Amino acid sequence: MNATPRNPTDHPSEENERLSLTGLLPPPPVPGLPPDRELLLRRTLLAQAAGTGPSAGPARRPARPRRKLFRVLAPAVVCALVGGGVVVVNLPDAPRRGPATVAGGGTPRATEATRLLDHIALAATTEQRTAVRADRFVYIESKVAYAAQSAGGGPVTMPPAHTRQVWLSADGSRPGLLREAGEPDTPLGVDGPVDTLDGPGATPRPGTLHASGPSVGNPTHTYVATLPTDPDALLELIRDETRGQGQDPDQRAFTAIGDLLAETWAPSKVAAALYRAAAKIPGVTVIRAADDATGREGVAVARTAQGQQTQWIFDRTTYAFLGERTVLAEAGDAGPAGTVVGTSAVLTAAAVDRAGEAP
């Protein structure tokens, strides 16, 4: 006996009933990404934000850890007189293709600078940095060049970049070491007789290190690791600790952040907060192409004050910190606008057990 044929309209009815029942069930769980896949996804999104897109392949890890540079401490090009009537200045790299680009005021590109610094901060959070024990040293190796001007004035000249190595006690309790090509080793420590650096790249002077305790202007790694990770709180702290140190408050804050990024090895969350704090400073601009001391081209975040522009240079794909340079923003006795008067390129940042030890 043949079965009774099913009515063609039965199918839609059964399907509707199935869908209704399915709608009553909770959605199936979506498995989370393992940590390594999540990190890869974040880096891929960063690469796409940088304009490389999927066609450029997977996002690359930063070629080297973020490091720090020397910055010009004096508002003028001349920093210190040395023997032979030569004035040495501490600033970023002479370009190989003519004068450097100098951005104008901060208003036209303020949004662009904020957006770029946000990408850089996000990249910093993906960088996995091992915590540095208090009994170790932070090691930074760079290539640097400082412009020089004769005591009688005239255009500055830029020597070839040379290697600079610095070992800094993580908690400031033991003497560190500064080593520059062609110069004798300089001890950096807490007990005399030692020399003290007033800032990254500055000429050492007799004194004691951290005699009054670490601060934004005189940091140790241990101190930097305790800085606020909230950008507003961090910027307020930086403004308070740099009050009364010359220049305008915004430039003081920008300079202090650059110093902290230059020759300290900030934990990832602190580094991200420093970049986001910099984004809140008025007058910060973007330079679309800038070279570090080794010729690596990247994108730069910059600020101009008192005739000079300081540029922090980053890899345009990974947003890793490459180095820093300072250029003349105005024509003058030292040279035309765009003249590079100082440059650096961070090559290695690591933790080591002893001053003088290579990683």
Side-chain angles (χ1 to χ4, degrees):
M1 188 176 198
N2 294 332
T4 304
R6 300 180 70 179
N7 191 312
T9 61
D10 288 346
H11 293 288
S13 232
E14 292 176 3
E15 180 67 14
N16 290 340
E17 184 178 357
R18 186 184 67 80
L19 292 175
S20 296
L21 291 173
T22 301
L24 298 176
L25 298 174
V30 179
L33 291 174
D36 58 337
R37 295 292 300 167
E38 183 180 1
L39 186 60
L40 177 60
L41 176 60
R42 294 177 73 180
R43 286 181 174 143
T44 302
L45 292 174
L46 285 171
Q48 292 173 350
T52 56
S55 61
R60 295 183 287 116
R61 284 179 178 270
R64 47 187 63 78
R66 191 179 322 284
R67 324 192 186 126
K68 310 347 170 176
L69 218 282
F70 338 36
R71 76 183 36 258
V72 185
L73 301 177
V77 175
V78 175
C79 279
L81 284 171
V82 297
V86 174
V87 179
V88 176
V89 182
N90 149 31
L91 304 109
D93 139 14
R96 293 150 180 76
R97 297 186 292 276
T101 301
V102 181
T107 304
R109 292 188 182 178
T111 302
E112 183 181 6
T114 301
R115 187 165 55 247
L116 175 59
L117 282 163
D118 187 63
H119 290 324
I120 293 169
L122 179 59
T125 64
T126 70
E127 187 176 348
Q128 298 174 334
R129 295 185 177 185
T130 304
V132 182
R133 295 196 317 264
D135 62 344
R136 303 192 81 196
F137 289 81
V138 173
Y139 168 80
I140 307 290
E141 180 181 353
S142 307
K143 284 283 188 181
V144 303
Y146 314 134
Q149 184 180 41
S150 69
V156 296
T157 58
M158 178 72 72
H162 65 272
T163 301
R164 182 178 191 274
Q165 298 167 286
V166 64
W167 291 262
L168 299 171
S169 172
D171 66 356
S173 65
R174 292 179 296 164
L177 182 67
L178 172 65
R179 180 175 293 163
E180 295 202 54
E183 300 290 338
D185 288 356
T186 302
L188 305 169
V190 292
D191 300 313
V194 295
D195 289 338
T196 296
L197 292 179
D198 287 326
T203 301
R205 62 176 176 79
T208 57
L209 187 63
H210 311 308
S212 58
S215 64
V216 166
N218 196 20
T220 63
H221 174 80
T222 302
Y223 172 81
V224 172
T226 66
L227 288 174
T229 55
D230 175 77
D232 292 308
L234 180 56
L235 184 57
E236 182 179 0
L237 172 67
I238 291 170
R239 290 189 186 280
D240 286 344
E241 292 206 10
T242 58
R243 198 179 308 278
Q245 295 180 9
Q247 304 176 316
D248 64 271
D250 293 329
Q251 186 60 24
R252 288 200 306 266
F254 189 81
T255 299
I257 290 173
D259 287 344
L260 290 170
L261 292 169
E263 280 186 347
T264 68
W265 198 21
S268 299
K269 290 183 178 180
V270 174
L274 287 168
Y275 291 127
R276 291 192 168 110
K280 297 177 178 294
I281 299 174
V284 178
T285 58
V286 172
I287 305 295
R288 298 183 183 276
D291 294 343
D292 70 10
T294 64
R296 296 175 300 188
E297 185 183 87
V299 60
V301 174
R303 195 175 192 280
T304 302
Q306 298 181 335
Q308 293 182 358
Q309 183 175 87
T310 301
Q311 303 174 359
W312 306 338
I313 305 170
F314 301 88
D315 184 288
R316 63 177 70 255
T317 300
T318 66
Y319 299 117
F321 181 82
L322 298 180
E324 183 183 79
R325 71 178 180 181
T326 300
V327 303
L328 299 181
E330 303 169 358
D333 181 55
T339 299
V340 178
V341 290
T343 184
S344 73
V346 180
L347 305 179
T348 305
V352 296
D353 292 326
R354 295 178 301 277
E357 176 187 17

